[in-house]
Amino acid sequence: MTRASAMTPVDPHARSGESCLAALDASADGLGAEEARRRLAAHGPNRLPETRTRGPLFRFLSQFHNVLIYVLIGAAAVTAALQHWVDTGVILAVVLANATIGFVQEGKAEAAMAAIRRMLAPRAAVLRDGHRVTADGSELVPGDVVLLEAGDKVPADLRVLEARGLAAQEAILTGESVPVEKSPEPVAAGAALGDRRSMLWSGTLITQGTARGLVVATGSATEIGRIGGLLAGVEQLTTPLVAQMDHFARWLSLLILLCAGLLLAHGYFVGHHDFATLFMVVVGLAVAAIPEGLPAVMTLTLAVGVQALARRHALVRSLTAKAAIGSGS
């Protein structure tokens, strides 16, 4: 259990406002300034957790982690040794284009995920010692009473204590496109997130009315904080497309090497050709057999698909994730 979640009441949406106040040892007039400072020291600031991100250099180098890319780099080295500079330039251009497109797309996704951490309200109107004051959003603690009106961003997860014509836009959490009406009345304990009308969620927007709400969760204990935690704990898995490409690249490389070896053996032992000349011919054939255009075609195809998803406001971190989505649909 995190520090921020230690005082979170169980199912606050299903409890009365008075019960939540009692559970948090708070009052409808808000906390005292000294008590607020003590709780802030105990629970920490109301901020979303930082997610681990890869640096630009490591993110760029990771774009080359593909068997077929390794084969292309090897082919570029061989063509350079043969002084076929045009072929070398074409192969390296394909490899760099593939890495650049993947790097740019992943960078956009990293920036979008970092923006989630900036969704909390920077300032909030709270009651301290019975008086309305404006406090930094990061200083809110469980037990604070927050005053909200139309146009305000909800600074933490709140249990509604009072509401007058209140509605909130919760699309970032529930996907609901229209504002949801809110009221202080408890709902069923097993109600879905979008049906918890007695709650206001951190990062959502008040579209109409006024409210007085009790802070029941801050920081990583909020619903949007849990989403940030899930993003931080995502495991790196091999997508179906990457697995198929690795399988194809291994077999293709093995087939090319096998054919090259057979041609070399046949030309030397059966045809009695000069070994040095024959070796250069076989190497040239092997390089020509490598489909250096395949990574570029695959990358461009995936990039087009990712852009189509982006126009529908979908966040895709890597190009191959788009193919994984298609495999699961």
Side-chain angles (χ1 to χ4, degrees):
M1 180 179 295
T2 63
R3 293 183 303 170
S5 62
M7 290 186 66
T8 303
V10 178
D11 294 333
H13 57 280
R15 305 173 64 166
S16 66
E18 292 76 12
S19 175
C20 291
L21 285 168
L24 290 170
D25 192 20
S27 72
D29 293 328
L31 299 173
E34 184 61 34
E35 176 64 12
R37 284 192 291 269
R38 187 188 69 79
R39 295 193 183 192
L40 181 62
H43 301 296
N46 177 34
R47 297 194 187 100
L48 298 182
E50 293 284 337
T51 57
R52 293 173 295 178
T53 58
R54 299 183 295 181
L57 178 60
F58 184 77
R59 195 168 73 241
F60 181 73
L61 293 178
S62 67
Q63 307 302 323
F64 297 93
H65 185 51
N66 181 282
V67 174
L68 195 56
I69 296 298
Y70 295 154
V71 173
L72 288 175
I73 293 174
V78 173
T79 55
L82 295 174
Q83 297 185 348
H84 295 171
W85 304 118
V86 174
D87 293 338
T88 302
V90 170
I91 295 173
L92 291 179
V94 168
V95 171
L96 289 176
N98 176 79
T100 302
I101 293 174
F103 174 78
V104 171
Q105 174 59 34
E106 188 169 333
K108 290 180 179 179
E110 292 279 3
M113 288 189 289
I116 293 177
R117 297 193 297 271
R118 300 191 293 270
M119 295 180 68
L120 298 187
R123 308 288 292 176
V126 299
L127 291 178
R128 293 281 168 84
D129 295 313
H131 301 286
R132 176 181 177 135
V133 298
T134 300
D136 192 292
S138 63
E139 297 178 355
L140 294 181
V141 295
D144 264 328
V145 175
V146 178
L147 305 177
L148 296 166
E149 58 187 20
D152 288 345
K153 184 179 289 187
V154 180
D157 283 0
L158 309 178
R159 173 61 169 87
V160 179
L161 299 178
E162 297 178 9
R164 296 180 181 85
L166 183 64
Q169 175 59 263
E170 299 178 343
I172 61 171
L173 287 178
T174 65
E176 181 62 49
S177 60
V178 297
V180 179
E181 294 182 358
K182 299 290 182 175
S183 67
E185 286 73 28
V187 298
L193 192 70
D195 295 329
R196 298 179 184 180
R197 303 301 176 93
S198 57
M199 297 292 297
L200 290 169
W201 308 111
S202 178
T204 59
L205 181 69
I206 303 298
T207 58
Q208 66 181 45
T210 60
R212 178 180 296 199
L214 173 68
V215 176
V216 295
T218 59
S220 59
T222 62
E223 290 299 324
I224 198 169
R226 292 190 181 98
I227 293 176
L230 291 174
L231 290 175
V234 170
E235 297 181 6
Q236 294 294 327
L237 300 176
T238 301
T239 65
L241 178 63
V242 171
Q244 292 171 9
M245 288 301 299
D246 286 346
H247 182 74
F248 170 75
R250 289 191 182 97
W251 279 105
L252 179 63
S253 302
L254 180 61
L255 180 62
I256 291 174
L257 292 175
L258 179 61
C259 292
L262 290 175
L263 285 172
L264 184 64
H266 182 273
Y268 182 72
F269 292 107
V270 179
H272 304 290
H273 296 289
D274 178 68
F275 182 82
T277 303
L278 182 63
F279 179 79
M280 299 304 289
V281 171
V282 169
V283 169
L285 290 174
V287 170
I290 297 175
E292 63 270 10
L294 179 59
V297 173
M298 183 182 71
T299 300
L300 291 174
T301 303
L302 292 175
V304 170
V306 168
Q307 291 300 318
L309 289 174
R311 286 194 294 269
R312 292 168 174 80
H313 309 291
L315 177 61
V316 181
R317 185 171 186 174
S318 64
L319 295 179
T320 53
K322 180 258 182 186
I325 293 172
S327 300
S329 61

